[in-house]
Amino acid sequence: MSLEKISEGVLKGNVNLVLEEVELLVEKGEEPLKIINEGLMVGMNTVGEKFKKGEMFVPEVLMSAKAMKSGIELVKPLINDEDMPSIGTVVIGTVKGDLHDIGKNLVGMMMESSGFKVINIGVDASPDKFVEAVKENNATILAMSAMLTTTMTQMKKVVEAIKEAGLKDNVKIMIGGAPVTEKFAEEIEADLYTVDASSAAEKGKKLIA
Amino acid sequence: MGKYEIFFKNQNKIVYAEKGELLSNICERGGYPLDLVCGGKGTCGKCKVIIEKNNKKSEVLACMEEVQEDLSLYLTKDDIKKDSQILSNGLKLDQYNGSIHKREITIEKNNLRHCGNLIDTIKIDDNTKISLENIKKFSELIGKSKEIVVVYENEEVLDLTEKKYSQDIYGAAVDIGTTSVVIFLYNITNLKLMGVYSTINKQTSLGADVISRILYAGNEKGLQQLHGKIIETINDLIGEADKELGEISDQIYKIVLCGNSTMQHLFLNLNPENLGTSPFVSVTQDLVSGKAADLNININKNAKFEFLPLLGGFVGADTISVLASLGNTEKNRLVIDLGTNGELAIGNSNQYLVASTACGPALEGAGISCGMRGTKGAIERFKIKDDEINIEIIGDENPIGICGSGIVDIISELRDYNFIDKTGKLLDKEEYIAKYGRIKLADNVFEIDGIKSFMISKAKDKMVYINQKDIRQIQLAKSAIVAGCKILIKESGLKEEEISEIVLAGAFGNYINIKKAVNIGLLPNIDALPIRSIGNGAGIGVQKYLLDKNTRKLVDKIKENSKHIELSMNSEFQNEYISNMHFE
């Protein structure tokens, strides 16, 4: 029974282990926030590093994310809403014409486990949908994904729509996906390109720091 | 002639260039097309070449480099795209039943009916259509000769000639692949396959895959260029046949073609833009026919062309051709066509469910650190025996990379020897020895740029290896295929025992070791279900279409009764996709 065990449970994607350990620690009177920050998130950070190097893969990362989430659900009722750690709100989606879901979801999960509040607006999302979601949630980051060279051009339209709505100074724009490059990010005036889900979480944090 | 002189040092050739012209264009114009895998966007690095200007050598990306002065170019053999091993197998039919045919007609002026209608002598029935041009030709011919040869497509008169010499008629069946184009040329008169001609699709220099070509078509004049390239490719092959068989192109009266949805659009000069993004709409999915001359195909000016219909989305005329090649059948089959894109079908001629699955280019060696196409120097077979690596290399040269079949072998063997675990993780040396004991091959695991890798071969300082990220690419590809198959089986409502076999079409299917492909989960493992590779199924189907009218009826039937399933919208597909990423 320890914070290390909780991290281990997250790393192994073992929901039961996480639940058991979190319950035991809560009973023992451990700070709920400490369980999140020093147990669950520590585990997820290791997952992120391993994913980056290819040592862990999509199915394992999803299991880990699930384990982490189940842990958070358990301690959430014990924390006042305003005390829930949130370093910013991310609106994330795949651009119009593109139906790729999994990569974008991975980024969302990684950002969530880094302490962001994540609003996932799904796939095939129009520029208007992005703008509305950013407004509605007062988002600090807009993250978008495109997996096809043919849909990547939609990203520019989203940036333009954000400008038009007068939100460009309020929200940072992150992009990613197989055909996307750093150069392309510069071209369309996006603030950040990252190559994978864990660097998205990592660099996303720095972006708003 | 342009201003600047580009000197191809190794080829001893000079090509002149305009200011600002891209180096990759110049190479292509000079007859040395480069492998622009990313379509010339400067991202793939495949067109890296060494140039020299002002006595200084440097390495540049040919697709990004604009010419501003005279320069020398050091182009090696490996920089230039080379002919790949392309599948081309012919097919013989005993009984010809195609749409073009000829008749030799003798006009006996003595036997003419009083006030008769001369043209009746060449009509097949009341439906026979004859153009004014051909009527004129007929009137000229009967003045000269009493024996004429008439060529028909069904009941329509295509051409008439004087019977002077043996007038054979020819037909061509074409399989337009994203990467390669094959023509099967038949002499219809004696039913002989006269030749199989194949080459790289010239569009490749403007983009390796369908998506980069769709994107290229959006450029100014991009569509015209791509359209021109495929017509040029076909005409080149016909020219080759002319050379070999002696100017027969004017006797080709029919050309039938198949290809994926993008190839069809580009061949017909239709904008493929909507194929590139969801909801993946085609301009037309119907069978398109017309005069070959309208597309500038260099065969008889009255010849007809037909492009087989598409089945929807990315599932094109190549797939319908594969399905037609299986004949009119009630047997249920699962058909997997592995090419640049993965197409799947399940069912029988009365109803097929079809889908396309994005298996990525990894199986063709692209996007893999030491990956390459199946050309000289590629490792195509890999086996571990007695703690030693055995490899086979195409062309028996020093290994310079790994092609698709080699990659499948490597993953399968490394998994069997536990270097790769169930999740796809490559074990490092210490971990391996701790778990499985010391073996010599454990020394082959090393790190390059912080990524775990396994050394496959090291010859003449050329390292060939596979790394952790490559394994992940294959996991994505194999999962996309198997997950797609599982969804199709489920949607079809067929029980596994109701499926008679799995049919593997496409070049890749011919080269891979099927057992190993099943072992790594690239092909579904269904109890006792035989897997058969038919090679270039699209090529077989399109030949049958040329030679047999019943195949045309079958194509109509399949087109009418097939249903396309969009996998990316299917939530169960997403689940299957994730749960099939692991190895068994």
Side-chain angles (χ1 to χ4, degrees), chain B residues 151-187:
Chain B
V151 181
Y152 305 85
E153 188 201 34
N154 298 316
E155 292 88 29
E156 183 181 348
V157 174
L158 287 185
D159 199 13
L160 310 107
T161 48
E162 190 176 347
K163 193 189 168 192
K164 257 191 191 161
Y165 45 89
S166 106
Q167 169 72 307
D168 286 352
I169 57 172
Y170 291 80
V174 186
D175 172 23
I176 304 178
T178 309
T179 328
S180 55
V181 179
V182 187
I183 294 192
F184 304 88
L185 186 66
Y186 281 86
N187 181 332

Side-chain angles (χ1 to χ4, degrees), chain B residues 137-315:
Chain B
K137 217 166 170 185
F138 175 68
S139 94
E140 282 160 23
L141 277 173
I142 50 175
K144 283 195 258 177
S145 159
K146 59 176 191 170
E147 285 193 285
I148 57 173
V149 177
V150 188
V151 181
Y152 305 85
E153 188 201 34
N154 298 316
E155 292 88 29
E156 183 181 348
V157 174
L158 287 185
D159 199 13
L160 310 107
T161 48
E162 190 176 347
K163 193 189 168 192
K164 257 191 191 161
Y165 45 89
S166 106
Q167 169 72 307
D168 286 352
I169 57 172
Y170 291 80
V174 186
D175 172 23
I176 304 178
T178 309
T179 328
S180 55
V181 179
V182 187
I183 294 192
F184 304 88
L185 186 66
Y186 281 86
N187 181 332
I188 302 289
T189 315
N190 60 16
L191 290 184
K192 256 195 186 155
L193 174 63
M194 300 306 289
V196 180
Y197 304 92
S198 63
T199 187
I200 295 277
N201 186 337
K202 287 197 166 177
Q203 292 174 341
T204 312
S205 60
L206 305 177
D209 53 64
V210 293
I211 293 291
S212 27
R213 287 194 211 160
I214 292 170
L215 205 66
Y216 193 91
N219 297 344
E220 201 193 328
K221 290 190 182 158
L223 174 60
Q224 279 77 4
Q225 260 178 291
L226 285 160
H227 171 70
K229 289 273 180 209
I230 184 57
I231 300 298
E232 199 183 315
T233 308
I234 292 171
N235 282 338
D236 278 2
L237 289 173
I238 290 166
E240 208 180 299
D242 256 349
K243 239 187 243 165
E244 195 180 296
L245 305 172
E247 307 303 320
I248 47 86
S249 54
D250 198 44
Q251 286 148 259
I252 303 175
Y253 285 98
K254 176 110 185 193
I255 183 166
V256 296
L257 311 103
C258 74
N260 64 45
S261 308
T262 310
M263 292 306 109
Q264 180 250 31
H265 278 64
L266 298 177
F267 174 80
L268 297 172
N269 209 356
L270 306 174
N271 186 353
E273 187 188 354
N274 292 316
L275 274 177
T277 65
S278 168
F280 310 110
V281 182
S282 319
V283 173
T284 174
Q285 296 177 1
D286 298 344
L287 183 139
V288 179
S289 57
K291 276 181 104 170
D294 292 345
L295 291 170
N296 299 315
I297 300 173
N298 291 340
I299 54 179
N300 186 284
K301 67 179 173 61
N302 294 318
K304 295 291 183 73
F305 81 86
E306 279 183 66
F307 205 106
L308 271 60
L310 315 180
L311 289 173
F314 281 110
V315 188

Side-chain angles (χ1 to χ4, degrees), chain A residues 111-151:
Chain A
M111 296 194 88
E112 206 163 16
S113 29
S114 304
F116 284 100
K117 185 182 170 197
V118 173
I119 313 289
N120 191 334
I121 61 167
V123 298
D124 198 15
S126 65
D128 287 349
K129 200 168 172 187
F130 275 102
V131 171
E132 269 165 43
V134 166
K135 268 191 203 159
E136 205 173 291
N137 299 289
N138 202 9
T140 34
I141 290 182
L142 183 165
M144 52 183 157
S145 160
M147 288 297 278
L148 301 168
T149 39
T150 43
T151 55

Side-chain angles (χ1 to χ4, degrees), chain A residues 52-60 62 97-102 124 148-153 181 183, chain B residues 41 43 211 214-215 276-278 423 425 450 452 468-469 472 475-476 568-569 574 577-578 581-582:
Chain A
K52 204 161 146 187
K53 285 168 107 181
E55 285 172 21
M56 282 178 84
F57 204 37
V58 183
E60 296 97 83
L62 292 177
D98 201 319
L99 306 171
H100 289 88
D101 204 13
I102 294 169
D124 198 15
L148 301 168
T149 39
T150 43
T151 55
M152 171 175 138
T153 46
T181 60
K183 196 173 147 230
Chain B
K41 302 208 318 290
T43 54
I211 293 291
I214 292 170
L215 205 66
T277 65
S278 168
T423 67
K425 188 175 109 174
K452 260 184 286 169
Q468 181 66 72
K469 296 204 164 163
R472 299 309 188 188
Q475 283 181 278
L476 292 175
S568 49
M569 310 252 257
Q574 307 271 356
Y577 183 49
I578 288 164
M581 277 181 197
H582 282 171

Side-chain angles (χ1 to χ4, degrees), chain B residues 480-499:
Chain B
I481 295 166
V482 169
C485 290
K486 286 193 173 168
I487 296 298
L488 274 196
I489 293 175
K490 191 157 179 261
E491 295 277 326
S492 74
L494 289 171
K495 296 192 192 91
E496 285 181 2
E497 60 267 24
E498 290 174 299
I499 305 169

